[in-house]
Each structure stands twice: as C-alpha cells, then as structure tokens.
Amino acid sequence: MAERSIPELSPAAREMLGALRADESPTAGQRRRQWAALQQRVGGPSASAASVAPAVTGARGLYYAKVVAVTMALAAAVLVAVKLVGMGVATLDERAREPAVEAPYRGGAESEGGQARSGGPSPGSVDRPERPAAAAPGEGQSEAVVGTEVVVQTPVESAVVRDVAEPESVRPRPRPSPRPASEPASAASSLMAELALIKEATAAKQQGRTAAGLRALQRHAEQFPKGTLADERRVLRAELLCAAGRPDEARAEVRSFLRQRAGSALSGRMERACPEGS
Amino acid sequence: MSDHDPQFAALYDRHHAFVWRILRRLGVPPASLDDATQDVFVVVHRRRDTLRPGVSERSWLYGIARRVAADVHRGRRRTQRKLEALPSPGQSAPLDDALERAEAADFVRTFFERLDAGHRMVFVLSDVEGMTAPEVAEALELNLNTVYSRLRSARKKFERAVARRQARAKVAHG
C-alpha cells in the first residue's frame, strides 16, 4: 500500500513542526475572548447587539461590549442626523413660502385730528413720547395741561422691544444647525481605525514583537489621545513594556492607571501587567 | 463555556486551535485571525446539523475555513490602500526564552513558502495538524493515493532541509 512506503519523520523534523504549531497556536486568553464574542453573535434573539452585558464578564468581554454599544449608538446618531437634516430642509422650505412680514412701524404718530396713536408704545417707536391730545381750541384754557404723559422707553427696554418686535424676515433667529450626516459616520470609521491599531499591537505582543507593538500604540496615542480604546492602549503598553524588559516604565504606567482609573474594568488586568519579579 | 449548547461548546474546545492555525496557514493575516476564527464558528454553529455522519469534523472545518479565508483575502484587496498607508511594523527581536522556538517556526514557514500549494497543505494537515490521510483526502477533495504521494514527497524535502540546517548549525558553532 502507498501508506507503508512513506517514511516516518525524524525526531528533529517533528520537533521543528511542533515548534511551528506552538508558535502559531492561540493562547487560552484568545480562545476565551473569542468564545465570549461568539456567544454574543450566535446566542439567539436575546443576545442582540444592543445588549451591553456580555455572557462572560471581565475586561475582554467589556471591551467587545463597548465596541458593540458605541457602534450601535453611532448608527442611531446617523439616523437622527439624517432626520434632522430632513426636518431642517422642510423648515427652510416652509419659511420660504411664508409671506414677507412688513417692516415695523417706525414713523411718527399717526394722527387723526392731531391725536397721537394711543395704547402704549408701538413697536419700534422708541424714544418717541406720546403726547396727549392737544386741547381743542376754545376749550377752557384754564384747564392746565397737567401730567403730560410722556412715555419714554429706557435704552434697555427699547432694545428688548426691538429684539422681540423685529420680524424674522428682517433679522433671522439663529437656529442650531443640524448635525451633519457625515459626523457620526466619520466617528464610526474613527473607532474602526482605533480597533485596527489596538489589534495590530495585540498581535505584535502575541508574536513577541514588542517594539512593533509599542510603535502601534504610539500611533494610537497620537491619532486618538482620548479615544474610546484609550484604556486598552494603556494596559497593552504596560504589558509590552514589561515584555520588552522595561519593568520600571511598565510599573509606572500601572501605578498611574490604577490611580486615575481605579474603577475601570481593566484594573485587574493592569494589576497583572508587570508583576514583581518580571 | 455555554450551558445553552454544550455540544457546540465542546466542538469549539476541540477545534478552536486547529481552525486558528489553519486560517493562518491559509494566509489570513494575524490582525484578522480573531474575526476570521469567529466567522468560521458562526458558520459551524449555523450549519452543525448538516455535518454528515462519517465525515471528519476537521475535514469539514477545513472546508469552512478555506471559504472564510477566501473572503478575508477578497476584503483585504478592497482595503489594501489603507493598509499600505500604515507604516509597516519593524521586526524586533523575539523574547529570549522563545528564541529557539521562533527560529524553528520561521525555518518551517520559509520551507512552506518554497513548497507548492498542493504539497504544502497535504503536509500541513497531516504532519502539523495530525489528520489522517483519508481525512486529508476528504478535506482537500483529493484522491487518497495523491495524498500519499504528495506527503511522501513533502516529507523527503523537509527532512533534507532539516538536515542542511543542522549541518549549518554545526559548522557555525563548531
């Protein structure tokens, strides 16, 4: 039979193939992390992408939950932005159809037989005193015209009246501009870019390429100083520094993180990033 | 592991490392291994009832992995420009305690690159992943005799390469 004519591999050859297998195998942590993410995907209707509580708790489960939650929020923001843009366009369209509002009354008092328009200050009629009706000729001159009522608006009031009275066609009211539809979309692609750099650093760490991993994290820090995955970056950095034979720097990073981010789900992992004796 | 589907969890446990390694061997870049491995098991979960009795699980998984790897390559071609924009990571020296293993692994990878694709995968599935010749034949959809023939040839070449490496090491270290 053909099988019997195949020579067995030598021990040296087997050892080399074993080294390749070990080098290319996933770690237990990778296996657990992927299982957690897989459960989210295949867990059924209840394990929707909007669920924030992964079946497996811990730093890595929270990492994926964070990514899923942020992505869903960004997708919702895109929908809201599109709706706002649509509403904004509709509103502008409505205004364009509105009849032009006449300019406010700014002239002097209209008079009918010398009488000033009564009834309080008219819009825009600033600093224009209203005078009482002049006494009809012939009426008792002895009647003194007393208490001439002069309505004088203070500068502040006049400004308020002016603001309230001015029609929008003359002075359009500032309206919040709708969020551009591109903003949530660019935020989503920003998150993907962050993910790519963190993954690159993680892969480099697994392969023992500490310098490459630190360079990827440096790029992340420069491009996304306050990115969504900033905590993950700091923990990875401490782990890579420790693996690169720089324990003092690693432990400084650990102490700083635990001081600033004591409540983070990554605290446990950070505490183990560079134990004494590393 | 999950209580909802213990059989799936057991299958995952048995074959996760295999799928991971095979995807890598099929050219999936390290940065995409996580996602690609997940994709394989999503398909496995969906289609696990279609596995016919008598068919090797690994052969079946290999077929799924091969399709997922092909998808990854198609996706990579679409995003190649973005990848090229990133500075390529330098190769730092591996950790001292894994140096020998890394060097051996590198040697084997270099050997694989020189082997043609048909012989390479027969050799990988058989001598790296430990599949039997019938399983390899099933996975690669080859005649059994073809598997034996390619395996014989690949092993001979590998042994020669190992012997040359050992000889060079002796000369270098005296």
Side-chain angles (χ1 to χ4, degrees):
Chain A
M1 282 181 58
E3 189 175 2
R4 291 191 192 134
S5 66
I6 301 176
E8 289 296 317
L9 285 169
S10 66
R14 287 200 180 282
E15 192 176 336
M16 307 217 79
L17 292 175
L20 174 77
R21 186 186 160 106
D23 194 64
E24 295 190 350
S25 289
T27 63
Q30 283 171 318
R31 185 163 58 85
R32 279 195 298 273
R33 186 182 70 236
Q34 288 183 21
W35 178 249
L38 188 60
Q39 282 187 311
Q40 288 292 308
R41 287 176 72 176
V42 304
S46 60
S48 67
S51 167
V52 181
V56 175
T57 57
R60 294 203 186 266
L62 183 64
Y63 167 79
Y64 279 98
K66 192 192 295 186
V67 169
V68 168
V70 169
T71 305
M72 291 298 295
L74 288 170
V78 168
L79 290 172
V80 168
V82 167
K83 185 165 177 147
L84 283 173
V85 167
M87 284 169 60
V89 168
T91 304
L92 285 172
D93 197 38
E94 281 173 15
R95 286 218 194 103
R97 294 201 201 103
E98 279 178 359
V101 178
E102 290 180 1
Y105 173 71
R106 292 187 185 274
E110 286 181 12
S111 58
E112 284 184 19
Q115 276 194 330
R117 184 189 287 265
S118 61
S122 48
S125 59
V126 177
D127 293 330
R128 217 171 278 280
E130 287 190 48
R131 298 171 186 231
E139 286 187 0
Q141 289 283 336
S142 59
E143 288 180 348
V145 176
V146 295
T148 300
E149 190 172 357
V150 174
V151 176
V152 177
Q153 291 175 307
T154 65
V156 172
E157 286 172 345
S158 65
V160 168
V161 167
R162 186 184 301 123
D163 277 348
V164 169
E166 270 192 19
E168 288 172 326
S169 61
V170 175
R171 187 176 170 220
R173 197 168 297 162
R175 294 174 64 84
S177 56
R179 191 178 306 139
S182 62
E183 192 177 296
S186 66
S189 64
S190 171
L191 177 61
M192 297 310 295
E194 276 198 71
L195 264 172
L197 287 170
I198 295 296
K199 279 187 174 181
E200 184 184 330
T202 304
K205 188 189 86 164
Q206 288 159 1
Q207 294 159 11
R209 298 185 292 114
T210 54
L214 288 167
R215 277 196 296 274
L217 294 181
Q218 179 62 27
R219 290 202 303 275
H220 184 276
E222 286 165 1
Q223 294 171 33
F224 310 103
K226 294 182 182 178
T228 304
L229 303 178
D231 280 359
E232 281 77 4
R233 177 185 72 226
R234 293 183 69 179
V235 173
L236 257 176
R237 184 163 186 275
E239 291 171 338
L240 278 162
L241 285 170
C242 200
R246 295 156 66 179
D248 291 341
E249 291 174 73
R251 289 184 194 125
E253 184 66 40
V254 169
R255 286 192 294 273
S256 167
F257 182 90
L258 293 177
R259 201 168 47 243
Q260 296 166 1
R261 306 283 294 151
S264 168
L266 291 168
S267 297
R269 182 178 156 195
M270 189 52 131
E271 284 168 358
R272 297 185 295 273
C274 197
E276 296 294 331
S278 299
Chain B
M1 290 294 177
S2 170
D3 292 331
H4 303 294
D5 196 338
Q7 281 182 335
F8 178 66
L11 189 146
Y12 177 89
D13 255 348
R14 282 198 300 277
H15 300 301
H16 174 265
F18 167 75
V19 168
W20 175 277
R21 287 191 303 266
I22 283 300
L23 284 169
R24 187 164 175 175
R25 195 74 6 243
L26 288 168
V28 174
S32 304
L33 270 176
D34 266 11
D35 290 344
T37 305
Q38 257 195 63
D39 288 346
V40 168
F41 282 101
V42 168
V43 174
V44 166
H45 184 267
R46 211 182 300 141
R47 296 169 54 189
R48 61 196 187 284
D49 295 334
T50 67
L51 179 58
R52 297 189 307 276
V55 173
S56 156
E57 281 182 345
R58 287 202 167 186
S59 304
W60 180 61
L61 286 165
Y62 175 83
I64 297 172
R66 191 174 54 189
R67 283 189 286 279
V68 167
D71 286 344
V72 169
H73 293 316
R74 273 194 292 275
R76 282 194 78 216
R77 282 194 286 274
R78 281 195 294 269
T79 59
Q80 193 61 33
R81 275 198 300 271
K82 280 188 189 175
L83 291 172
E84 284 170 358
L86 291 175
S88 48
Q91 197 76 19
S92 66
L95 298 174
D96 286 346
D97 59 352
L99 182 59
E100 200 174 319
R101 188 184 78 188
E103 284 180 348
D106 278 344
F107 167 78
V108 179
R109 276 189 281 267
T110 303
F111 171 78
F112 283 163
E113 283 168 16
R114 293 182 189 143
L115 211 56
D116 68 274
H119 285 74
R120 184 191 315 137
M121 201 44 73
V122 167
F123 188 51
V124 165
L125 292 180
S126 175
D127 288 344
V128 178
E129 299 302 334
M131 290 168 69
T132 65
E135 286 180 327
V136 174
E138 189 175 44
L140 300 179
E141 297 173 0
L142 293 173
N143 180 280
L144 190 58
N145 282 334
T146 304
V147 171
Y148 287 136
S149 168
R150 291 184 183 179
L151 186 58
R152 189 185 316 116
S153 168
R155 280 185 179 178
K156 265 189 190 171
K157 289 179 183 174
F158 187 59
E159 290 285 11
R160 281 203 294 268
V162 171
R164 279 197 299 271
R165 183 174 187 266
Q166 287 177 320
R168 277 198 296 270
K170 277 185 185 164
V171 168
H173 300 304

